[in-house]
Amino acid sequence: MTASPPHSYRIGIDPADIDFMGHVNNASYLKWVQEAVINHWQRIAPADAVAAHLWVALKHEIIYRKPTFPGDDVIATVLLEKVQGARAFYETIIRRGEEVLAEVKSSWCCLDARTLRPARLATSVVDRFFPNDRGPNPLPPSRERVS
């Protein structure tokens, strides 16, 4: 299985993201990754799957490359690498133009929204994220979305 098509998510830099050194605090990157991954899920999964499932982060590995400043135009590009059982593995690249600001590898657990127990996704839902590996493309031609 190859990674899913890239999903772009525009980052809004809030004044609360700025630390004492005048750039974005490292903790804000985690908030951005969560927003971008959840946006990816909500954009591609069918509405009934979105309503029935929640995602929680299990692990993040972040490499900070360059600082981010107020007013920067920042985009997070999300790649779903694989889904295994109730877990999903993502890579998120945060950029300012062509500059890579941070690279994040993360793993997530899918939960049943009612029981809050780990839940496997139906194959038909997973297939929507990997159209090149599993048959016809269920999505419109444009993959790069900027919210």
Side-chain angles (χ1 to χ4, degrees), residues 38-96:
I38 297 302
N39 182 264
H40 179 243
W41 163 249
Q42 293 171 339
R43 292 274 181 148
I44 297 176
D48 60 332
V50 171
H53 298 92
L54 303 172
W55 289 93
V56 294
L58 298 175
K59 180 179 178 180
H60 294 294
E61 293 178 24
I62 303 176
I63 299 173
Y64 298 99
R65 299 283 183 199
K66 296 182 183 257
T68 306
F69 298 99
D72 282 350
D73 185 20
V74 179
I75 301 288
T77 302
V78 174
L79 295 169
L80 176 58
E81 295 177 325
K82 68 179 177 176
V83 175
Q84 187 174 7
R87 293 178 63 188
F89 299 87
Y90 277 91
E91 178 179 21
T92 305
I93 307 295
I94 299 172
R95 290 186 173 87
R96 173 182 50 232

Side-chain angles (χ1 to χ4, degrees), residues 48-56 110-119:
D48 60 332
V50 171
H53 298 92
L54 303 172
W55 289 93
V56 294
C110 180
L111 302 178
D112 179 288
R114 188 177 49 77
T115 66
L116 301 181
R117 307 252 327 146

